């Protein structure tokens, strides 16, 4: 009745069943379902595209778990929250976002282009959005990679490459826009070029040399490395 009763959900198509994991119960109706959990002692409604997406993730057995809210409208889309994430419904489709991705802090990057994907190196996860991608690891949390820095990182091999995962957001270092990674940094200069610096180069101690003019180059004599900057090497 709280959800809209017969007019919204239609007639029940089964009796209530309470044999789900964790002692939860559910009942299907012509146009949706209601799931109840003893933890919240409250039923929540699943309908339409959000229900279809949740079913595709594996329902209560999947990555999202049980619903913990009804649908609600927020910032131009319908949202429903679950134990371990949310589903966002747009005209372009429904997208599952796991809570560790922290989409609320990156909503300025636009609409998701896919569900959260996990199983990357070191059990990492990522979420592709209109204007960038969020990467998450247990050690580094959620970090967004965008624009020219994202293009350069992709060229290095992303999380499998020489830089590893991002460990910071972008910031201005006095010379260029910089983003730190597990094994180095990427610097986006005023000229619109991006260069990466391996952490072994200790760039923070040599920033007075200006912006890099190339990526770190290794494989010289005795496995050495070098990098050219505006005012030196």
């Amino acid at each position: 009745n709280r959800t809209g009763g017969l007019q919204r959900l239609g007639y029940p198509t089964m009796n209530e069943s309470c044999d789900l994991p964790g002692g939860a119960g559910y009942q299907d109706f012509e146009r949706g379902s209601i799931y109840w959990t003893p933890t919240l002692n409250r039923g929540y409604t699943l309908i339409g595209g959000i229900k279809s997406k949740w079913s595709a993730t594996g329902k209560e057995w999947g990555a999202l778990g049980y619903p913990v809210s009804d649908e609600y409208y927020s910032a131009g889309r319908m949202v429903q929250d679950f134990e371990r994430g949310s589903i966002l419904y747009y005209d372009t489709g429904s997208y599952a976002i796991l809570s560790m991705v922290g989409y609320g802090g990156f909503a300025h990057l636009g609409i998701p282009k896919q569900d959260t994907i996990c199983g990357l190196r070191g059990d990492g996860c990522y979420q592709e959005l209109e204007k960038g991608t969020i990467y998450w690891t247990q050690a580094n949390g959620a970090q967004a990679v965008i624009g020219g820095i994202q293009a350069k990182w992709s060229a290095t091999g992303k999380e499998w490459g020489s830089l590893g995962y991002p460990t910071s957001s972008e910031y201005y270092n006095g010379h260029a826009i910089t983003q730190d990674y597990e094994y180095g940094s990427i610097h986006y200069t005023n000229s619109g070029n991006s260069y990466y610096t391996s952490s072994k180069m200790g760039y923070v101690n040599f920033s007075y040399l200006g912006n890099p003019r190339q990526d770190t180059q290794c494989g010289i004599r005795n496995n050495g490395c070098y990098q050219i900057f505006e005012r030196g090497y």
Side-chain angles (χ1 to χ4, degrees):
N1 288 332
R2 176 169 53 82
T3 283
L6 179 64
Q7 184 175 3
R8 189 178 189 203
L9 287 176
Y11 286 104
T13 60
M14 59 173 285
N15 291 322
E16 182 180 327
S17 176
C18 291
D19 59 355
L20 299 183
Y26 80 106
Q27 189 164 10
D28 289 336
F29 297 80
E30 291 176 303
R31 292 186 289 277
S33 301
I34 297 175
Y35 279 76
W36 173 93
T37 62
T39 302
L40 298 173
N41 192 25
R42 183 183 174 106
Y44 293 106
T45 304
L46 287 154
I47 62 173
I50 288 182
K51 181 186 178 185
S52 297
K53 172 59 70 174
W54 184 64
S55 297
T57 69
K59 296 185 175 180
E60 67 273 9
W61 293 98
L64 291 170
Y66 287 110
V68 297
S69 81
D70 290 320
E71 288 186 355
Y72 59 92
Y73 189 75
S74 174
R77 80 274 191 188
M78 294 301 297
V79 181
Q80 187 159 12
D81 297 326
F82 295 81
E83 290 177 303
R84 294 181 291 276
S86 300
I87 294 176
L88 280 58
Y89 180 84
Y90 297 86
D91 292 340
T92 56
S94 299
Y95 305 96
I97 301 181
L98 298 184
S99 54
M100 70 264 203
V101 168
Y103 176 70
F106 300 102
H108 61 281
L109 296 178
I111 295 172
K113 296 174 67 176
Q114 52 158 214
D115 300 333
T116 302
I117 303 296
C118 293
L120 305 183
R121 182 178 70 82
D123 294 325
C125 301
Y126 78 102
Q127 184 98 36
E128 188 177 359
L129 308 172
E130 288 179 302
K131 303 183 185 73
T133 305
I134 304 168
Y135 280 81
W136 174 91
T137 63
Q138 184 68 47
N140 304 306
Q143 309 291 345
V145 186
I146 64 175
I149 287 181
Q150 181 176 16
K152 170 59 73 172
W153 184 58
S154 296
T156 70
K158 297 184 177 180
E159 71 275 8
W160 289 101
S162 58
L163 291 173
Y165 283 109
T167 61
S168 79
S169 57
E170 290 186 354
Y171 60 92
Y172 185 66
N173 70 2
H175 298 280
I177 300 298
T178 295
Q179 186 163 23
D180 297 327
Y181 292 78
E182 290 177 300
Y183 313 119
S185 301
I186 295 178
H187 314 277
Y188 185 81
T189 67
N190 292 334
S191 63
N193 295 317
S194 294
Y195 303 102
Y196 74 82
T197 301
S198 171
S199 56
K200 67 183 71 173
M201 304 302 287
Y203 174 65
V204 67
N205 298 315
F206 300 99
S207 59
Y208 59 87
L209 295 177
N211 289 326
R213 296 175 60 187
Q214 56 157 213
D215 300 332
T216 301
Q217 305 293 313
C218 292
I220 57 177
R221 188 172 69 85
N222 293 336
N223 295 318
C225 302
Y226 76 100
Q227 188 148 11
I228 303 174
F229 295 84
E230 292 174 309
R231 293 185 287 279
Y233 291 70

